[in-house]
Every structure is written in structure tokens, then in C-alpha cells.
DNA sequence: AAGGTCACG
DNA sequence: GACGTACGTGACCTTG
């Protein structure tokens, strides 16, 4: 029996608009804008690649709109009349869409007087009649009417949103519209569509429309029921709007019986002839796609085995970079060229060559991810493209008696490598080299000087993610994006889950391919990215801030911090007792046993069983039971809400802190070693993981007890130094807010001063409001957000915002100028020149756009604060050393706070040094017009130091 | 793996 | 009138 036929209908016109808005503005060698075409090309590539895969296409056609009017305009002249003309640099791309389609040897269908939607509907129905399955590649909500199975023996119709990689079936349609696909047209007719200018009924949006149709079963029934509805605005509008709704129903109806310009069988997909495609890719400078096609490994044909998602992911951005700066000529990665170094003679040969080259990429392989617990398994080096080796050191598994592969003696090898890795004359390049620094430091080697491709990437491209098209800084992603090369992954080499084996058990030939490739790719990335620093203005932040920070943070991680295990265990026990008591009480009040930790079950019990009022929320249709909701219920006298809140607090503290921190104690050092990410936050802040030591409780009394468990070693104390109100100070400086500057200069309480300016007097209430408003400003304000926080009406919140802007006009100017600049250049900048990119700042999608705007307002402030504390950290090490304070150890950074451990006798000498380094950290690069205030405390525990 | 929740600055 | 409404993170739990 022949396999089931599966027709893919690509809504080309809709796709290109979306691609245009979500991809960077590329131009081809002739200067023609081609960003949207590029996106379209990668999508076709991916689809063609799926040929013969489960659910992949056997037949495929692209459907396009022709002209801007259709038969619908005869019915309703206003139809689509309010559409703005397409952007200037999109217009020349329309004809290229046809070229691209032809280059893939795919049929391209369009008919005057018909919209693409109608042709799609007609083809879909015809295919369905023949028993074929159909996938419509689009996310247009009008087309959702077609989803489902029709008639007996009829094929299935679903949709595919390639940008989100999401399949849309009947369930998804029903979720979106609250009705079965057949009734979607009725819902659309009621709610209208502002984009297509379908009127609908004024005052009825998606929610109301979906509710009415679900209730009455059809548009006609809903309209007929209107006269019997109880008197309301809605009733009036339904009565008045009947005609408009009926007209809208006709407009949204898809024409399913168009004459088919070409028979279905013409759409048979049968591989893609490479020549026309190559010509097209070449003409428009899509060089990495061209290379891939020529390599034959990823061509859009039935024979490829590449992961298509990954493929298109890497390419878009690769092309982006390539279009600006041609790649240095490098041969393709050839893993067979790598050497496995198994004798001291060969090792010495590599060391000599590396010294001569003065630049070597280094990568370590280990037994685990935790740099403080892992054993060194081997080291790889690279001196140029394909010029790489792997030096296995501890391969052969855990069985002491099993035969081990030939490898050099561990101690001898390290002794040979140490002078190279420590030599001032040789630059060591790593991808996340902090990890290798820590591993090697634990083996007696102090790696320096260094470069780090991950950190370079971050300095250049922070925030520059392209919609699921990875914007990260991991090696596999960078390799795809900048080199067009897919690396072997750790999973492929070591397996996954239970079957995973330690790297030391990987056979040497495979291990060499993987490990040496990592060094090779790192070398290539360095060659590619390092020159961009100078040309794109990233040198200063990289060389003066982030790179010197690497060894400093590495040292902090190795220090770790002591925690009092017994104290944590005692807290765990207390929390356990309280939790189980509360759980019983909650069950009693609820009258049923249930999982308190399940928001789903809790929501059903609170709002259905116990009948408290409160709405459904979110896509999942689940009740929200978060803190704000529970506090509201508690205010209404719901005793169970209080108990749940307390239960949540205790289980959170127990599982995340008191239990987990005990687990995190390193058996060798007896301390807890976090890992900081220098690329974790788009703004330039650090982040902390495994465990996260940047979110240890402090705001509540009960949580604060956990800080008491972070202690100093015997004879030592902990010293906590934090910047006071640094972000507000920076805002005052950057936005030229004189009253705030004066207040800071005079050492006034800043929130009180704000309260005076805004409300004329300082009371507990006005100060609290002023504080909220101050923070709101830093985060990008909206009247609704502020209203929610202050529990006032949006109008009143707006009035406060107006007052704030009036009293502090610099703030409004700062917001305006920041946004203008980000819209014009694509990125924001800190006072020290750190860039953060905002690719969605001009998105058509309001949520994306306003979200980006708020983040863009905040980024220069949060990022400058991050720069300042980073500069302080870099200077702290030599400053303490100069003062002869060799026993003072910097342990933790928590965004605006540094934690040190030091002998009690050093406190008096260390305090002024730490204070001065932190307070002067902006100078001399930047002269702030406000002082930076530092608060310092000491104690036997972190809690006591505050 | 995703969503909900909550800990921090 | 409809959307969802403060910036930046990471960890843990339940559920599908």
C-alpha cells in the first residue's frame, strides 16, 4: 500500500511579513534588502528537508497573494483598507520570494481576485477529499477554520507555525478560540479583526465573542438570542451590530471552491535539484547555506541527516554576521586531522610548537561538570584550523585491573604543560576558560594570560538573540552561528541519562575527535570574534572589565564559603515539623486530603470546592494561586490562605536552602562553592548557580536564619560591603535629576526626599509610596503596573507618574532619549560602553515591543551598576595585596554587595581599603555627579554582618 | 520539558 | 474596549 500522501501548503505572503519583522536587516552584495527572503529561504530548506520524515511533506506548494484587492472588496470596500503600506525595504523582497520558491523547484500559486487564504482553503479541501493529510504552514487565525478531519475517509488538516515550531491541531484551535474549528468563523465575525479591518461588533473582543458562540452554538443563534438578554451594554451592541456581524461572517468565510490553477499531483515533492538553488544562494550572498549545499551534508534533499531546527537556527545568525564581515578563509573542520598525543616526545613537540605560535586554544576534559569536584581526564590544544591534538591523561575507566590505553604519565604531562600554560609569552584561549582555570588551578597550574571566546561573544552580542534562533554564547551555538559548523556534542560522545559514561571511558579515537574539535573550534572562533571587538567598540569593556574579572571570580569560586551544617540540619528539622502540622490543618479546613504543593489542586479546592471568588488565568486555564491572590483571600478572612502561605514559605526554605545547601558542601573542602556565570544576565550582571548564592533569604525573619548558617572560619569574621541605592544614584546621575543628586550629596534618605517632592510631606505612607515609585521608574513604568503595586486606580497612578516627571523632568528626558537611541542603533549602552541589544524594540507585537522598551530603560542603569562592582572586584585583589592584607579573601558577589572572609585582626585595616576601592570604582573612566555610598558590616555569620 | 511559584538585587 | 502590565536572575515542585 502506498504511504499516506501529505500536502504542505505554505502561506508565503504571511510568512514574509513575519520574517521581515523578526530578522535583522540583511542586504545582499548588491545592496538589495534580503532579510525576509533569507528567513523564507531557510524555512523552505527546512520543509524540503523533512521530506519522507514522519509527518513530513510528500507534496508541497507555496501560495501567494496577488495584488491587494479581492472579491471581498466588492462586498465591503473598507476590507483591509486600513493596512499601512508595507515597509520600504520589504517591497523589493516580494518578487524575490517567487525567485526563492523557483530556486527550490517548488510550485508557486497565485490568482488575481483571490487571497492566498482562499486558494489554501480550496486546495486543502480537495486534498482532504482524496484522503490526503494537509498541513498549512501559517499561523493566520482565519485559516484555523480549516483544521480538523472532514467526512469519512477524509484527511486531516493541521497547521504548522514554523517560527515557533508549533503544530496547531483541533485542540490548539479550541484552546485559542474556546470553540471547535467549525465555529471559529462565527467567533471571528463577532470579534472582528482590526488588522484586516473586519468590523465585527463594536465592543466585543475575543473573550466575549468566544463565550457567546460557545453558549449559543452559532453566530445566528447568538444574534437571535440578543433580544431576550437582560438589559446591558452588550445587548444593545448585539442588537445594533447584527448587520455588521453578518457582513463580517461573509468576509471571514474562506472560499473553498476556487478553480484550482494546477492539479494537486503537480505538487509532488521529489528532491531539490541543486543547480538553480546554488545560483540563487550565490546571487544573494547566502554563503553559509551555499557552503552547506556544496558540502552536500545538509542539502535540502531526502538524504540529509542534519537536525533541521538546529540548522536553520545556526544559519540565520551566521549569515547575519557573515554579511557584515567576511569570514577569514579557513578549511572545513576535518576531525581526522587531529592527533592523539600518547608519548612524552609528541607532547613536548606540541608544547614547543605552541610556544613558537604564542597563541594556543586550550580545553580540559573532566569527570564531572562541577569544577570544584571534577578530576582532570585530558587536555586538548589547538594551534590553527585542524591543527589540534588531544592529550589523554586518565582514560581507561574505574576498573583498576582493566587494561588501560597508552597515555603519558599524569604528573609528567602536567609538568611539561605547566610552563607553557603559565608563560606570559603565550596567550591561552578558552571557551568559558574560568572552568579550565579552576580545574588546572586545583592541579597546581595558574593559567595566564588568557582570552575567552564566550566572554568576547558576550561583549559583542549580549541580547542579540534572534527568536529561538539561539542568541547564547555556548560553543555549539557559536560554532553554528559564526563558522557554519556543527560540533560533536557531549551527548553524542558520552550518551545521556543513565547510559551516560564518564569522558575517561570514551575510546581514545572518539575522545580525540571530540576534545580536539573543541580546541580547534575555540581557536577558529577566536580568530573570527576577536577582531570584531575593535571594530565594534567592545575592546574597552572586554579588556578592562570582563576579561580581568575571570581569574578574580575563579578565585572566589575556589575559596567557597563555610556553612554550618548542623545549624542547617536543625532548621530543616524545625521546618519539617511545622510543615507537616500546617499540612494537616490545611487538609482539615479543606475537608479533603490533597497535595498542597500542587497549584492546580489547590486552585480547584479554593475556588470550586470552597467557593472563594477569583478568576482563571493564563493559557492553561488554571486558577492562579500566587502570593498576591492568597493574600487577598487572607484579607477576606480565608484562614486556609494564611496556612498555605506559611506552608509555602517553609517548604521553599527547606527544599531550596536548608536541605539543598547541606548537599552542596564539598566533601574535600568542607565549603560551598557556587559557580558564577559572566554571561548569565543580558545587562552584564553576574548570575550564580549550583547553588545560587545570590538569592539567600534576608527579607523575612524566618528566612534570615539561613544567613546565620553562612559562617567564617575559626579566628575569622565575615565582612559584607554593599553599595547603598546604587541604581537610584546612577539614575540621578544619568538623568540629571538635581533634587535627587542634592539629596544623595547631603546624605538624605532618598525615598523621604522623593516623598517631599511628590506629596509635600513625609509620612510612613508617602515614603512607602515614593519608594515604590522610585523603583517603578528604574524598571520602566506603566500606570497599570504602578496602580497594582500601590493598590490605587490607574488614573491616580498616572497622576503620580505625571507629578514625578514634573518634579524630576530629567527622568522623562532620559527615558525618551534612551528609547530613541535604542530604536536607532539597536542596542543600549552603559556609562562604560557595555552594549545590550534589543532586537524586538520595534516589534509590531505590542507585548514584545513594550517589554523591550522597559528592559531598554533599565539596562543602562542595571548594567552600569554591574560594571562598577566588577571594576571594584578587579581592583580589590591588588589593592588588598598592596595593603599587605594577604589573608583577606573575597568570597561572594550579590549584585551590589561583596562578602569577604578575613582574620578578625585585619578588619580595621581592611575596611577602609574595601570602602575606597568600591567608592572609587567608576573613576577615572567616569566621573559621577553623585557619591557612591558604601555600607559595611562584620560578624561571625553573613546574617550578623548585615 | 513546561508552567507555577518564590527566593534575591 | 481588548491584550497584559515593573527590570534582572535560578531552583524546586508538580504535572503531562
Amino acid at each position: 500500500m502506498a504511504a499516506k500522501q501529505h500536502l504542505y501548503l505554505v502561506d508565503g505572503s504571511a510568512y514574509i511579513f513575519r520574517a521581515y519583522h523578526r530578522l535583522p536587516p540583511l542586504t545582499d552584495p548588491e545592496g538589495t534588502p534580503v532579510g525576509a527572503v533569507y528567513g523564507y529561504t531557510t524555512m523552505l530548506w527546512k520543509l524540503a528537508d523533512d521530506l519522507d520524515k514522519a509527518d513530513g511533506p510528500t507534496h508541497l506548494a507555496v501560495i501567494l497573494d496577488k495584488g491587494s484587492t479581492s472579491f471581498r472588496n466588492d462586498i465591503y470596500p473598507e476590507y483591509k483598507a486600513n493596512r499601512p503600506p508595507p515597509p520600504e525595504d520589504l517591497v523589493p523582497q516580494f518578487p524575490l520570494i517567487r525567485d526563492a520558491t523557483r530556486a527550490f523547484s517548488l510550485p508557486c500559486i497565485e490568482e488575481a481576485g483571490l487571497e492566498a487564504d482562499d486558494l489554501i482553503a480550496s486546495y486543502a479541501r480537495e486534498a482532504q477529499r482524496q484522503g490526503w493529510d494537509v498541513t498549512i504552514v501559517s499561523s493566520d487565525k482565519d485559516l484555523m477554520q480549516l483544521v480538523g478531519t472532514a467526512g469519512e475517509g477524509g484527511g486531516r488538516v493541521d497547521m504548522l507555525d514554523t517560527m515557533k515550531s508549533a503544530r496547531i491541531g483541533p485542540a490548539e484551535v479550541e484552546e485559542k478560540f474556546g470553540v471547535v474549528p467549525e465555529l471559529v468563523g462565527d467567533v471571528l465575525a463577532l470579534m472582528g479583526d482590526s488588522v484586516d479591518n473586519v468590523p465585527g461588533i463594536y465592543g466585543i473582543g475575543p473573550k466575549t465573542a468566544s463565550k457567546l458562540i460557545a453558549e449559543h452554538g452559532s453566530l445566528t443563534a447568538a444574534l437571535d438570542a440578543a433580544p431576550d438578554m437582560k438589559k446591558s451594554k452588550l445587548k444593545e451592541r448585539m442588537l445594533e451590530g447584527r448587520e455588521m456581524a453578518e457582513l463580517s461572517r461573509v468576509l471571514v468565510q474562506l472560499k473553498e471552491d476556487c478553480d484550482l490553477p494546477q492539479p494537486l499531483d503537480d505538487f509532488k515533492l521529489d528532491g531539490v535539484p541543486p543547480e538553480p538553488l546554488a545560483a540563487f544562494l550565490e546571487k544573494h550572498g547566502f554563503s553559509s547555506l551555499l557552503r552547506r549545499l556544496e558540502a552536500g551534508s545538509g542539502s535540502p534533499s531526502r538524504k540529509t541527516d542534519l537536525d533541521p531546527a538546529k540548522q536553520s537556527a545556526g544559519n540565520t545568525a551566521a549569515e547575519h554576521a557573515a554579511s557584515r564581515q567576511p569570514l577569514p578563509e579557513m578549511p572545513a573542520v576535518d576531525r581526522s586531522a587531529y592527533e592523539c598525543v600518547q608519548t612524552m616526545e609528541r607532547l613536548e613537540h606540541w608544547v614547543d610548537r605552541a610556544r613558537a605560535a604564542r597563541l594556543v586554544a586550550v580545553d580540559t576534559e573532566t569527570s564531572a561538570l562541577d569544577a570544584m569536584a571534577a578530576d582532570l581526564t585530558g587536555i586538548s590544544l589547538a594551534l590553527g584550523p585542524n591543527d589540534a591534538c588531544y592529550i589523554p591523561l586518565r582514560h581507561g575507566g574505574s576498573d583498576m585491573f582493566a587494561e588501560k590505553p597508552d597515555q603519558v604519565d599524569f604528573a609528567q604531562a602536567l609538568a611539561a604543560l605547566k610552563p607553557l600554560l603559565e608563560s606570559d609569552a603565550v596567550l591561552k584561549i578558552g571557551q568559558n576558560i574560568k572552568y579550565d582555570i579552576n580545574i588546572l588551578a586545583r592541579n597546581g597550574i595558574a593559567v595566564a594570560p588568557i582570552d575567552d571566546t564566550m566572554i568576547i561573544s558576550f561583549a559583542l552580542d549580549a541580547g542579540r538573540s534572534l527568536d529561538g534562533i539561539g542568541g547564547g554564547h555556548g560553543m555549539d551555538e557559536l560554532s553554528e552561528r559564526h563558522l557554519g559548523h556543527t560540533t560533536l556534542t557531549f551527548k553524542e560522545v558520552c550518551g545521556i541519562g543513565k547510559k551516560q559514561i564518564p569522558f575517561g571511558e570514551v575510546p581514545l579515537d572518539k575522545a580525540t575527535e571530540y576534545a580536539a574539535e573543541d580546541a580547534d573550534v575555540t581557536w577558529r572562533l577566536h580568530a573570527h570574534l576577536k577582531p570584531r571587538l575593535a571594530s565594534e567598540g567592545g575592546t574597552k569593556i572586554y579588556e578592562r572589565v570582563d576579561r580581568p574579572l575571570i581569574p578574580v571570580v575563579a578565585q572566589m569560586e575556589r575559596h567557597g564559603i563555610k556553612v554550618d551544617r548542623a545549624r542547617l540540619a536543625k532548621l530543616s528539622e524545625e521546618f519539617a515539623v511545622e510543615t507537616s502540622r500546617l499540612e494537616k490543618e490545611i487538609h482539615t479546613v479543606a475537608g479533603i486530603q490533597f497535595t498542597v504543593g500542587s497549584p492546580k489542586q489547590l486552585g480547584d479546592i479554593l475556588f470550586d470546592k470552597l467557593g472563594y471568588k477569583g478568576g482563571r488565568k493564563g493559557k492553561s486555564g488554571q486558577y492562579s494561586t500566587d502570593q498576591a491572590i492568597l493574600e487577598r483571600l487572607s484579607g477576606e478572612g480565608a484562614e486556609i490562605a494564611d496556612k498555605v502561605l506559611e506552608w509555602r514559605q517553609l517548604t521553599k526554605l527547606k527544599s531550596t536552602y536548608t536541605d539543598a545547601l547541606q548537599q552542596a558542601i564539598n566533601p574535600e573542602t568542607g565549603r560551598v562553592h557556587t559557580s558564577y556565570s559572566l554571561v548569565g544576565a543580558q545587562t552584564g550582571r553576574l548570575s550564580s548557580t549550583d547553588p545560587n548564592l545570590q538569592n539567600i533569604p534576608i527579607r523575612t525573619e524566618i528566612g534570615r536564619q539561613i544567613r546565620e548558617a553562612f559562617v567564617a572560619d575559626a579566628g575569622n569574621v565575615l565582612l559584607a560591603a554593599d553599595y547603598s541605592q546604587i541604581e537610584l544614584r546612577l539614575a540621578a546621575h544619568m538623568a540629571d535629576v538635581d533634587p535627587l543628586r542634592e539629596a544623595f550629596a547631603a546624605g538624605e534618605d532618598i525615598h523621604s526626599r522623593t516623598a517631599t517632592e511628590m506629596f509635600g510631606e513625609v509620612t510612613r505612607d508617602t515614603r512607602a509610596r515614593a519608594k515604590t515609585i522610585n523603583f517603578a521608574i528604574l524598571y520602566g513604568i506603566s500606570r497599570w503596573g504602578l496602580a497594582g503595586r500601590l493598590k490605587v486606580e490607574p488614573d491616580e497612578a498616572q497622576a503620580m507618574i505625571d507629578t514625578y516627571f514634573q518634579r524630576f523632568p530629567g527622568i522623562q528626558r532620559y527615558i525618551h532619549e534612551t528609547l530613541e537611541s535604542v530604536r536607532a542603533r539597536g542596542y543600549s549602552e552603559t556609562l562604560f560602553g557595555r552594549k545590550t541589544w534589543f532586537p524586538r524594540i520595534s516589534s509590531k507585537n505590542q507585548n514584545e515591543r513594550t517589554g523591550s522598551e522597559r528592559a531598554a530603560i533599565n539596562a543602562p542603569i542595571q548594567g552600569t551598576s554591574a560594571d562598577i562592582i566588577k571594576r571594584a572586584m578587579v581592583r580589590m585583589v591588588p589593592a588588598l595585596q598592596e595593603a599587605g592584607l594577604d589573608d583577606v579573601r573575597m568570597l561572594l558577589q550579590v549584585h551590589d554587595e561583596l562578602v569577604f572572609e578575613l582574620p578578625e585582626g585585619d578588619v580595621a585595616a581592611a575596611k577602609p581599603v574595601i570602602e575606597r576601592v568600591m567608592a572609587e570604582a567608576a573613576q577615572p573612566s567616569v566621573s559621577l555627579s553623585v557619591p557612591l555610598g558604601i555600607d559595611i558590616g562584620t560578624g561571625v555569620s553573613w546574617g550578623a554582618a548585615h
Side-chain angles (χ1 to χ4, degrees), chain A residues 48-74:
Chain A
D49 231 18
D50 282 349
L51 169 63
D52 284 356
K53 283 193 185 159
D55 240 12
T58 59
H59 293 69
L60 191 149
V62 174
I63 317 291
L64 297 173
D65 282 323
K66 186 169 194 176
S68 57
T69 56
S70 70
F71 69 91
R72 289 184 179 79
N73 293 93
D74 301 336

Side-chain angles (χ1 to χ4, degrees), chain A residues 561-562 671 707-713 716-720 889 891-892 899-902 907 937-946:
Chain A
I561 184 165
K562 188 174 172 189
R671 296 166 73 102
R707 283 202 180 213
E708 311 279 335
F710 285 78
V711 294
D713 223 339
N716 285 254
V717 293
L718 293 182
L719 181 154
R889 297 181 289 178
L891 307 185
L892 302 178
V899 179
F900 300 81
E901 182 176 38
L902 67 171
V907 169
T938 57
V940 291
S941 74
W942 194 4
H946 266 277

Side-chain angles (χ1 to χ4, degrees), chain A residues 756-773:
Chain A
T756 310
E757 296 282 341
M758 298 233 4
F759 306 108
E761 59 165 355
V762 186
T763 65
R764 254 176 82 161
D765 178 59
T766 58
R767 185 183 180 278
R769 282 166 176 245
K771 185 175 175 184
T772 300
I773 298 168

Side-chain angles (χ1 to χ4, degrees), chain A residues 102 127 381 465 830:
Chain A
R102 277 188 216 116
L381 305 175
S465 75
T830 66

Side-chain angles (χ1 to χ4, degrees), chain A residues 776-795:
Chain A
I777 295 298
L778 299 182
Y779 298 151
I781 201 166
S782 85
R783 77 186 78 161
W784 298 278
L786 185 62
R789 302 267 157 162
L790 291 178
K791 300 202 161 54
V792 299
E793 292 304 309
D795 284 353

